[in-house]
Amino acid sequence: GLMKADAGTIHVLGITQLRPEALLGKMGFMFQNPERQLFEETVYAEVGFSLKRLGLSPRIIHERILETLALCEVDHLIRRSPLTLSFGEQHRVAMASAIAPRPDVLLLDEPFAGLDFRQRGRILNILSRLREERGTTVLIASHEVLPNPYWADQTLRLKDGGIYP
């Protein structure tokens, strides 16, 4: 919704009038570089930011933060500043921020960039739980093959302006 399409129409989750506020809580996004989306003073506040914007009650916000931090294996970092964390920890905190609102669709830009094989597997396991337990549609934009090339239901390749299976 930040840029206008040159032609055609774009529909996301049945929404045709795309604006960031229309997708709040329905679509989550994680940047390639997590440092660019981390800005709060604590991990707790970081994960709670979008939940507050949704207008959820303080009790629900607290429960969702704790649940999401545990899912992303960063609950032990709850009081730390996100900008003091390791790159892998920042990745998981940024992902927790994106998934805390329980979006129907989660879009990840290069979620494995800069991570070692163990951390890549960790991210893929978290994403697997989201798909299986919450039915979240996970879209991954990547220049690399997934750590488990059989993980995706469908893989599309972009080349010379076309989309190929």
Side-chain angles (χ1 to χ4, degrees):
L2 297 175
M3 295 176 63
K4 300 285 184 215
D6 293 337
T9 58
I10 300 172
H11 302 262
V12 177
L13 300 166
I15 301 167
T16 56
Q17 299 296 316
L18 296 178
R19 298 174 321 281
E21 60 274 7
L23 296 173
L24 183 62
K26 296 174 178 68
M27 183 170 209
F29 180 72
M30 187 176 107
F31 296 166
Q32 176 177 347
N33 185 344
E35 221 174 59
R36 293 188 179 185
Q37 79 183 71
L38 301 173
F39 57 88
E40 288 284 357
E41 291 193 24
T42 66
V43 167
Y44 184 91
E46 188 72 49
V47 176
F49 178 80
S50 58
L51 300 174
K52 287 179 184 174
R53 290 196 61 215
L54 285 172
L56 300 175
S57 74
R59 182 182 62 78
I60 297 294
I61 290 172
H62 180 72
E63 289 172 2
R64 288 252 192 113
I65 291 170
L66 296 181
E67 172 190 298
T68 306
L69 290 175
L71 172 68
C72 293
E73 303 171 4
V74 288
D75 47 337
H76 62 289
L77 303 171
I78 197 166
R79 298 285 172 225
R80 295 267 311 269
S81 165
L83 298 177
T84 65
L85 305 176
S86 73
F87 192 71
E89 290 167 338
Q90 286 182 344
H91 251 70
R92 293 193 315 279
V93 169
M95 187 165 30
S97 296
I99 67 175
R102 297 184 180 166
D104 297 315
V105 176
L106 180 62
L107 176 59
L108 304 152
D109 181 21
E110 298 287 354
F112 308 109
L115 299 177
D116 62 24
F117 187 76
R118 182 174 164 268
Q119 290 298 328
R120 290 172 185 220
R122 199 175 200 178
I123 296 290
L124 206 55
N125 286 338
I126 294 166
L127 296 175
S128 293
R129 287 188 59 196
L130 282 177
R131 286 191 330 176
E132 293 163 11
E133 295 173 11
R134 297 186 185 166
T136 305
T137 298
V138 178
L139 300 171
I140 298 174
S142 181
H143 291 91
E144 302 176 36
V145 175
L146 292 173
N148 174 352
Y150 303 105
W151 184 83
D153 294 327
Q154 184 175 16
T155 301
L156 300 174
R157 300 194 193 304
L158 303 176
K159 184 176 179 183
D160 299 326
I163 300 174
Y164 306 93

